[in-house]
Each structure stands twice: as C-alpha cells, then as structure tokens.
C-alpha cells in the first residue's frame, strides 16, 4: 500500500464526508441525509474540480477497503434477531433473484450482440456484488480487459441509478417498511457500497437488514464462480455442452474463495451473539462503521465519471438499463409470491 498515492483521495473523501454530515444537520438539507449528500458532492467534484488522476488510488481505497472494514464492524452491530427475520424465505428469494438476473443479463447482452464472456460478467456483476464479482469471474472466463472494463462501468452506473431510485420506489410501494424495502435494495442493488448507500437513504434498520440480504448474495459468489468454470465459452456452441458435465482435469485452475471480510464479519457476528462484547465496544463499532460508510460513499461519488457513459456507447448501457428493469420486476414478483 502506497500511502503517498492513497492520501489525496482518502483525505478528499474524508473531507466530503465531514461536510456532508454538517450539511445534513441544517434544515435545508436534513431531508437528503448525509449519505446522499456525500454521493452528490462526490459526483459534482469528481466531474469538475477533482477529476485528476491524483485522487484515483485514494478513492479506490476508500470505496473498497473502508466499506470492507465497515462490513466487518457491522458484525458487531447486527442483532441475531435480524438474521432470523430474513429466514429461509429470504434465502430462497435471493437464490431465485440471482438465477433470474444471470439468465436475463446473459440473454439481453447476447441479443445486443455481445460475446459470451461479456454477457456472463454482466450477469455476475448484477446478480452478486458489482465489480467485485466481475473481478472474481473474469479470470475464470479468461475475459479480456476491454470487456471487463466495459462490464464494470455498466454495472457500476446501473447500481448508482438503482441506489437512488429504489428507496423512492420502496417508499411508494411499501411506505419504506423495513423488511420489503431491505429485500428490494439488498436483493437488487449491485455493489456492497451502493446497497449501504441506498439503505442509508431510508434508515439504519434498513441498512442492517439490507446488508444481510446482500451478504447472502456475496456468499453465493463461490457457487456462481464454480458454475461459470464449467461453461463452454466457444462461440457457436451451447454453454451447457459436454464441458459443463465432464469434470476433466485442467492444468491451470483459478482458485475461488469467500472474501476475507465476509469471514471476518461472520466471526464478529458470532462473537456479538455470545453476549460477552462490552457495550462501549458496540457503541464505538457503530460510530466508526458509520464514518467509514460515509467516507466510502463520498469516494463512490468521486469515482462516477459522466464521460464513461458517453465513451462506452449506447448499446452497452441500453442493455444494462434493461437488465436493471428486469431485476426490479423479478424482485417485486418474487416478494409478492414469497412474502405476501
């Protein structure tokens, strides 16, 4: 880790987080909340005064690492009762939502003329956890950097749109009720940071439960990656050709594992469930986690580049928007079937 490269972007993200929390206390901005203010300020400055490459490493660190640390601390904050509230129906909801998203993303991307590898990365990115999922399956698919870059850009921008839109939709459909709002956000929005940001626009209860739904998706990334490894990626052949069923030995295999922060989160969650964690530790875990979240959200805003939308072309983003619409429809239908 090069501190000199990270510092400018980290300090800028921290400064925006502080300003956002100050503005959120003012009557004129209180309705927006610190989370949304941080994202909007980040997007504004990231595309104007602060769009230089000197902030790149720091904002990347803030978005990725600080959110991971925040998730770990959430293990000390979450109550086991919330896990029980998600229940087996919540797990079934996530599994079907992921399967439908992957299949639909693949079909839509192929209809728009994209290759198998790009289409599968779009499926994984939208179904699981954004760019992290794409980064996991890309080497398994042996995808080139161009397809990887475009898919990450599409998924991140779609996630930003859903991040802001879904809380509004949930307020209309469910009056921002905790469980359905959490399921909609946690089961649909792309990256971990975007889920937390979106849930923050509602309330802390939604943040807690939406995080659980999201973590179930991340845990299933291992299953998705192992399944992708068996697919036949030759153009003109079915994905489920003999390669899928024949477990031949390969000279080189890509290791697939559960992300470290998920394991750390589970450890902290189990530790919290014992009841032996002092109350002051829980209090500080909550405070630090909240600060990390808002700093990371400011960084996410700084990393959203309007020029990327224009650069990558209309086709890719049209396909991406269609995938997003389907994700929302699937989530609403599954929630109707399973929960109501």
């Amino acid at each position: 880790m090069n501190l000199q490269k990270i510092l400018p972007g980290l300090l800028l993200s921290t400064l925006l987080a502080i300003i956002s929390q100050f503005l959120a206390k003012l009557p004129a901005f209180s309705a927006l909340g610190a989370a949304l203010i941080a994202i909007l300020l980040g997007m504004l400055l990231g595309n104007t005064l602060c769009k230089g490459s000197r902030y790149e490493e720091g904002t990347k660190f803030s978005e990725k690492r600080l959110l991971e640390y925040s998730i770990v601390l959430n293990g000390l904050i979450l109550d086991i009762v919330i896990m029980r509230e998600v229940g087996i129906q919540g797990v079934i909801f996530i599994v079907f939502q992921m399967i439908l998203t992957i299949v639909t993303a693949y079909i839509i991307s192929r209809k728009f003329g994209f290759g198998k590898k790009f289409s599968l990365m779009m499926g994984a990115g939208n179904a699981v956890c954004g760019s992290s999922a794409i980064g996991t399956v890309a080497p398994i698919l042996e995808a080139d950097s161009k397809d990887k870059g475009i898919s990450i850009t599409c998924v991140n921008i779609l996630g930003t749109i859903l991040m802001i839109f879904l809380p509004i939709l949930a307020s209309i459909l469910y009056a921002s009720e905790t469980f359905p709002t959490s399921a909609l956000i946690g089961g649909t929005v792309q990256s971990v940071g975007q889920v937390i940001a979106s849930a923050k626009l509602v309330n802390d209860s939604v943040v807690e439960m939406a995080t659980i739904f999201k973590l179930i998706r991340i845990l299933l990334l291992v299953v998705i990656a192992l399944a992708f490894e068996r697919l036949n990626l030759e153009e003109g052949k079915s994905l489920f050709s003999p390669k899928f069923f024949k477990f031949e030995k390969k000279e080189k295999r890509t290791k697939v594992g559960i992300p470290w922060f998920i394991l750390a989160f589970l450890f902290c969650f189990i530790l919290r469930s014992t009841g032996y964690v002092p109350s002051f530790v829980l209090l500080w875990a909550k405070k630090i986690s909240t600060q990390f979240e808002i700093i990371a959200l400011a960084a996410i805003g700084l990393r959203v580049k309007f020029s990327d939308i224009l650069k990558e072309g209309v086709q890719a983003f049209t396909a991406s928007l269609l995938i997003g619409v389907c994700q929302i429809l699937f989530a609403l239908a599954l929630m109707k079937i399973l929960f109501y």
Side-chain angles (χ1 to χ4, degrees), residues 280-324:
F280 77 90
V281 173
L282 302 180
L283 177 63
W284 278 102
K286 174 66 174 176
K287 288 182 177 180
I288 295 170
S289 176
T290 299
Q291 294 306 312
F292 281 174
E293 285 173 7
I294 298 175
I295 293 170
L297 299 179
I300 289 173
L302 286 165
R303 292 177 64 78
V304 173
K305 305 301 180 188
F306 299 145
S307 59
D308 289 340
I309 301 175
L310 301 174
K311 182 176 66 177
E312 302 302 349
V314 175
Q315 267 194 316
F317 285 103
T318 303
S320 186
L321 287 173
L322 285 175
I323 292 167

Side-chain angles (χ1 to χ4, degrees), residues 29-324:
F29 298 100
S30 59
L32 295 176
L36 182 56
I37 294 172
I39 294 168
L40 294 176
L41 281 178
M43 291 173 66
L44 177 63
L45 291 178
N47 287 277
T48 54
L49 300 176
C50 304
K51 60 181 181 180
S53 59
R54 67 184 298 237
Y55 301 109
E56 182 74 17
E57 289 298 318
T59 54
K60 184 178 180 181
F61 171 85
S62 300
E63 177 186 3
K64 180 175 173 59
R65 293 302 178 192
L66 292 187
L67 272 176
E68 290 174 350
Y69 301 151
S70 177
I71 290 169
V72 172
L73 291 172
N74 272 331
L76 294 174
I77 299 166
L78 296 177
D79 195 310
I80 196 168
V81 174
I82 296 172
M83 289 288 286
R84 291 173 183 162
E85 287 179 12
V86 171
I88 187 66
Q89 285 176 302
V91 176
I92 293 171
F93 164 74
I94 290 297
V95 169
F96 277 95
Q97 175 75 354
M98 289 176 67
I99 292 171
L100 289 169
T101 297
I102 291 171
V103 171
T104 303
Y106 181 81
I107 292 172
I108 290 174
S109 298
R110 293 290 281 169
K111 290 292 184 182
F112 274 81
F114 295 105
K116 286 184 176 181
K117 296 177 181 180
F118 176 87
S119 302
L120 289 170
M121 284 191 289
M122 287 289 283
N126 286 296
V128 190
C129 53
S131 54
S132 297
I134 293 172
T136 299
V137 302
I140 294 170
L141 300 173
E142 297 180 348
D144 60 39
S145 57
K146 181 183 177 183
D147 279 353
K148 182 180 175 182
I150 294 174
S151 61
I152 286 175
T153 302
C154 289
V155 167
N156 281 336
I157 292 175
L158 175 60
T160 302
I161 294 170
L162 295 184
M163 173 182 75
I164 297 171
F165 174 70
L166 290 186
I168 299 171
L169 181 63
S171 69
I172 296 169
L173 297 179
Y174 308 117
S176 297
E177 186 183 341
T178 299
F179 188 86
T181 302
S182 302
L184 180 62
I185 293 172
T188 307
V189 179
Q190 280 66 12
S191 76
V192 177
Q194 289 163 345
V195 167
I196 294 172
S198 188
K200 274 280 186 184
L201 300 182
V202 188
N203 56 55
D204 286 343
S205 296
V206 173
V207 172
E208 291 180 352
M209 188 167 285
T211 300
I212 296 298
F213 276 105
K214 183 62 179 179
L215 291 175
I216 295 171
R217 291 165 68 189
I218 296 173
L219 287 171
L220 290 172
L221 174 60
V222 178
V223 178
I224 300 301
L226 291 173
F228 278 16
E229 193 176 27
R230 307 311 309 169
L231 297 177
N232 191 322
L233 302 176
E234 291 182 57
E235 295 294 340
K237 291 189 178 181
S238 169
L239 283 174
F240 304 99
S241 63
K243 180 184 176 183
F244 183 78
F245 300 102
K246 184 182 177 183
F247 288 79
E248 74 276 5
K249 291 184 178 179
K250 297 175 76 175
E251 291 183 7
K252 183 180 179 182
R253 293 178 63 89
T254 305
K255 290 185 178 180
V256 179
I258 300 174
W260 74 271
F261 61 91
I262 299 301
L263 297 175
F265 164 85
L266 292 174
F267 172 79
C268 289
F269 180 75
I270 293 169
L271 186 64
R272 160 70 191 270
S273 302
T274 63
Y276 291 111
V277 182
S279 58
F280 77 90
V281 173
L282 302 180
L283 177 63
W284 278 102
K286 174 66 174 176
K287 288 182 177 180
I288 295 170
S289 176
T290 299
Q291 294 306 312
F292 281 174
E293 285 173 7
I294 298 175
I295 293 170
L297 299 179
I300 289 173
L302 286 165
R303 292 177 64 78
V304 173
K305 305 301 180 188
F306 299 145
S307 59
D308 289 340
I309 301 175
L310 301 174
K311 182 176 66 177
E312 302 302 349
V314 175
Q315 267 194 316
F317 285 103
T318 303
S320 186
L321 287 173
L322 285 175
I323 292 167

